[in-house]
Amino acid sequence: MEATRPRRVLRASAAALGCALSLLPARAATGGAPSVEGPIAGPGSVSLDSTAFPLAPFRYAEEEFFLAGTATAYTSDAPLSSDGRWAASPGESAAYATRVVVRRPTARARFNGTVVVEWLNV
């Protein structure tokens, strides 16, 4: 049962991101939900500067997952204007694989539904 909690938090994070993306105009169907592998166990640990201290004393856990799926690129239908109102159409799609680091409360009751997405390599 404990192993499914991180997946639920990860799915909640993905759902929150999906809801945010659904507000964007000209959205096309994607390749479906990504495959999720993890939490990843093995040699080494997650190395992010923002957590150079142990999270356990604060009752948080940090886990790494691998996601893979198909992403769709979008192309502009017209030259981009300065007002930020642009029309786009789906273009090519390609396979992707990435990693996601999830920091979550160790107790499910402490999760308030807030998900913060930090994009580290744009």
Side-chain angles (χ1 to χ4, degrees):
M1 173 102 171
E2 189 66 32
T4 61
R5 287 182 184 172
R7 287 181 188 257
R8 287 183 187 146
V9 172
L10 183 61
R11 287 186 181 125
S13 302
L17 182 59
C19 288
L21 293 175
S22 71
L23 299 175
L24 297 174
R27 191 172 152 247
T30 63
S35 64
V36 178
E37 179 186 343
I40 304 302
S45 62
V46 175
S47 176
L48 296 173
D49 289 337
S50 63
T51 53
F53 56 89
L55 295 174
F58 301 98
R59 300 183 304 175
Y60 270 75
E62 181 175 75
E63 296 166 315
E64 183 175 18
F65 296 82
F66 295 141
L67 305 179
T70 303
T72 302
Y74 288 82
T75 58
S76 176
D77 292 340
L80 302 179
S81 59
S82 61
D83 65 2
R85 296 180 183 267
W86 309 323
S89 298
E92 296 180 22
S93 54
Y96 71 88
T98 191
R99 66 186 273 241
V100 175
V101 176
V102 175
R103 295 184 194 110
R104 62 172 178 81
T106 53
R108 182 185 306 195
R110 291 187 53 229
F111 179 61
N112 67 5
T114 301
V115 176
V116 177
V117 177
E118 217 177 327
W119 198 304
L120 298 177
N121 64 337
V122 178

